[in-house]
């Protein structure tokens, strides 16, 4: 059986049986039970707080379990959804791949172009949320079991869709943040940007609050009704999605002029600021002690979460457009030079790297012992922790 657990082997048998039933209907499998283990990477950056972090994720060295071509470049990073890996391409097609083998189990083409990364929601992860643009611009809620539409909410959304519990949070191109019930598509509340900022970024959500960038301001809202709690001017247009740690009451962002900011998440007070060169990627990553920022100048910066000191920096061989993804001990970075890097979180030293077939410009997804990413050539890679190293 190798590295596959008995539980995943049983899940594979169930999936293969489901394929025989469903692929003849056209779209194939877009849904499978979670298989008894927690899946965190259901949306861009993994969590609703945009931390890009999984403490129990894989540690290097990693072993390539499989690679698979989906033809088109990715629209965003992969999604772990139980025994499936979901890939959305710039060709507006969603593929479902078997995590265990990499085999294609399903494929769904969308008639209208997709603009925002897809998300998975629902108590059983049974909803697929899509954002299409063009003549029929709308957010769609699809049943992953059947592929049927459950609801449609007409709006143009090109920022990542964010879900927490039973609620979807979306930033509309016209300048509104909306909270929508994921089961019926009904509007719960709406918060307007006045005036609509030129640079939009998705919301970040904790148990009690929703945070958004509003031009040169950062705003905290009540999650229950969208009412404003505090607003903070930060002296530059916020370029990244806000990374929030609700337990430690910390919020982090980077502006377009290279200022890395730490704020008190409860009151909006400034904690510290630093600067980087180049343009930051669209998101950040947090470890237990670091804020990790990737930049267009090919550099990974690591700042101390509490004090803002530069702990280390690492220069890659290519432009960095996606955020890092981190575990308890490792920072993983995909680069425009076609390399996956694994850096030690405490020192920034290179621990391991892997040469890919093309630039990696979208975010990495982490599971309990796995890492997935897609290159611009349309190749999906799935790596697993090399347990033999740790068993010796």
């Amino acid at each position: 059986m190798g590295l596959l657990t008995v539980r995943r082997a049983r899940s594979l048998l169930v999936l293969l049986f489901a394929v025989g039933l469903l692929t003849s209907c056209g779209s194939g499998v877009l849904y499978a039970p979670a298989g008894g283990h927690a899946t965190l990477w259901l949306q861009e950056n993994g969590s609703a707080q945009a931390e890009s972090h999984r403490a129990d994720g894989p540690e290097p060295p990693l072993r390539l379990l499989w690679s698979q071509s989906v033809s088109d470049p990715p629209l965003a990073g992969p999604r772990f959804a139980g025994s499936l890996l979901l890939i959305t391409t710039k060709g507006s097609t969603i593929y479902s791949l078997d995590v265990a083998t990499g085999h294609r189990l399903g494929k769904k083409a969308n008639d209208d172009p997709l603009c925002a990364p897809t998300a998975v929601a629902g108590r059983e992860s049974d909803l697929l949320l899509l954002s299409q643009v063009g003549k029929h611009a709308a957010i769609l809620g699809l049943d992953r079991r059947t592929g049927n539409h459950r609801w449609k909410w007409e709006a143009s959304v090109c920022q990542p869709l964010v879900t927490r519990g039973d609620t979807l949070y979306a930033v509309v191109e016209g300048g509104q943040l909306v909270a929508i019930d994921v089961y019926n598509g009904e509007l719960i509340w709406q918060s307007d940007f006045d005036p609509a900022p030129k640079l939009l970024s998705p919301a970040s959500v904790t148990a009690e609050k929703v945070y958004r960038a509003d031009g040169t301001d950062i705003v905290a809202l009540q999650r229950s009704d969208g009412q404003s709690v505090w607003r903070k001017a930060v002296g530059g247009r916020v370029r990244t999605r806000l990374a929030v740690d609700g337990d430690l009451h910390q919020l982090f962002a980077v502006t377009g002029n290279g200022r890395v900011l730490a704020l008190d998440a409860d009151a909006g007070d400034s904690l510290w600021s630093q600067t980087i060169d180049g343009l930051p990627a669209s998101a950040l990553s947090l470890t237990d002690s670091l804020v990790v920022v990737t930049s267009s100048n090919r550099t990974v910066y690591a700042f101390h979460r509490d004090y803002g000191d530069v702990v280390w920096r690492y220069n890659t061989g290519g432009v960095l457009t996606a955020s890092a993804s981190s575990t308890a001990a490792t920072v993983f970075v995909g680069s425009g030079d076609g390399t996956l890097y694994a850096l030690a979180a405490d020192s920034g030293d290179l621990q391991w790297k892997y040469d890919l077939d093309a630039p990696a410009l979208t975010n990495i997804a982490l599971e309990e012992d796995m890492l997935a990413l897609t290159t611009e050539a349309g190749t999906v890679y799935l790596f697993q922790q090399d347990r033999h190293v740790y068993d010796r």
Side-chain angles (χ1 to χ4, degrees):
M1 191 68 67
L3 297 177
L4 298 179
T5 64
V6 173
R7 176 177 291 171
R8 287 183 179 167
R10 290 172 179 169
S11 298
L12 175 58
L13 292 176
V14 174
L15 283 172
L16 292 177
F17 177 72
V19 172
L21 292 177
L22 295 179
T23 50
S24 61
C25 298
S27 64
V29 178
L30 289 176
Y31 175 81
H37 64 281
T39 297
L40 301 179
W41 230 268
L42 297 175
Q43 56 196 307
E44 195 76 345
N45 295 97
S47 69
Q49 298 96 318
E51 295 174 306
S52 292
H53 178 69
R54 175 150 188 160
D56 61 351
E59 302 294 352
L62 305 184
R63 184 175 75 92
L64 180 65
L65 195 59
W66 52 258
S67 62
Q68 171 69 272
S69 175
V70 293
S71 303
D72 293 323
L75 179 64
R79 301 286 181 271
F80 280 105
S83 301
L84 303 182
L85 190 69
L86 302 179
I87 311 295
T88 306
T89 71
K90 293 179 180 177
S92 298
T93 301
I94 302 168
Y95 293 88
S96 61
L97 308 180
D98 177 17
V99 168
T101 65
H103 294 158
R104 290 189 191 179
L105 300 180
K107 175 182 176 181
K108 178 177 177 55
N110 203 61
D111 293 335
D112 292 286
L114 299 177
C115 191
T118 58
V120 175
R123 295 181 184 91
E124 298 181 1
S125 302
D126 56 337
L127 280 165
L128 185 67
L129 305 176
L130 309 180
S131 180
Q132 65 185 26
V133 292
K135 184 178 180 180
H136 306 289
I139 302 173
L140 305 177
L142 307 183
D143 188 320
R144 283 213 294 135
R145 293 183 178 91
T146 64
N148 295 333
H149 288 198
R150 286 196 187 177
W151 53 264
K152 178 180 180 180
W153 199 83
E154 294 184 358
S156 180
V157 175
C158 284
Q159 296 300 318
L161 304 173
V162 179
T163 63
R164 185 173 179 119
D166 296 341
T167 307
L168 161 68
Y169 302 90
V171 176
V172 180
E173 290 298 292
Q176 301 87 31
L177 169 63
V178 295
I180 298 172
D181 188 305
V182 298
Y183 292 106
N184 57 31
E186 293 183 358
L187 182 68
I188 300 172
W189 55 256
Q190 175 176 309
S191 175
D192 294 336
F193 299 74
D194 188 23
K198 295 180 181 179
L199 187 63
L200 297 173
S201 62
S204 296
V205 187
T206 64
E208 297 181 351
K209 294 183 178 66
V210 180
Y211 300 87
R212 63 173 171 85
D214 188 353
T216 59
D217 290 357
I218 293 175
V219 182
L221 309 171
Q222 290 286 1
R223 186 182 166 204
S224 58
D225 57 13
Q227 294 300 307
S228 178
V229 178
W230 56 259
R231 175 182 288 265
K232 174 74 173 181
V234 294
R237 293 191 179 277
V238 177
R239 187 174 176 86
T240 62
R241 184 177 168 196
L242 308 175
V244 187
D245 188 323
D247 294 332
L248 296 180
H249 314 288
Q250 295 174 321
L251 179 151
F252 304 95
V254 189
T255 63
N257 56 6
R259 291 185 64 221
V260 185
L261 306 169
L263 304 180
D264 182 294
D266 293 332
D269 298 331
S270 297
L271 301 177
W272 55 261
S273 68
Q274 271 282 9
T275 58
I276 64 168
D277 296 323
L279 291 174
S282 60
L284 312 173
S285 185
L286 306 181
T287 73
D288 290 341
S289 60
L290 301 175
V291 182
V292 181
V293 182
T294 52
S295 172
S296 62
N297 72 341
R298 306 182 179 189
T299 304
V300 185
Y301 298 85
F303 301 95
H304 194 287
R305 280 179 56 153
D306 296 331
Y307 310 113
D309 300 335
V310 178
V311 179
W312 52 262
R313 65 181 66 189
Y314 184 89
N315 294 322
T316 70
V319 65
L320 303 176
T321 64
S323 70
S325 292
S326 61
T327 67
T330 306
V331 174
F332 292 100
V333 181
S335 173
D337 64 357
T339 304
L340 170 63
Y341 294 89
L343 309 175
D346 59 354
S347 65
D349 293 337
L350 179 65
Q351 303 297 296
W352 176 86
K353 68 178 182 178
Y354 190 92
D355 291 333
L356 307 166
D357 68 343
L361 303 181
T362 56
N363 291 342
I364 293 167
L366 301 177
E367 253 288 11
E368 184 176 346
D369 60 352
M370 294 178 291
L371 177 154
L373 80 163
T374 308
T375 68
E376 290 301 290
T379 304
V380 185
Y381 290 83
L382 190 133
F383 297 89
Q384 191 167 46
Q385 184 167 303
D386 193 342
R387 296 179 183 175
H388 295 295
V389 173
Y390 294 91
D391 290 341
R392 286 200 291 264

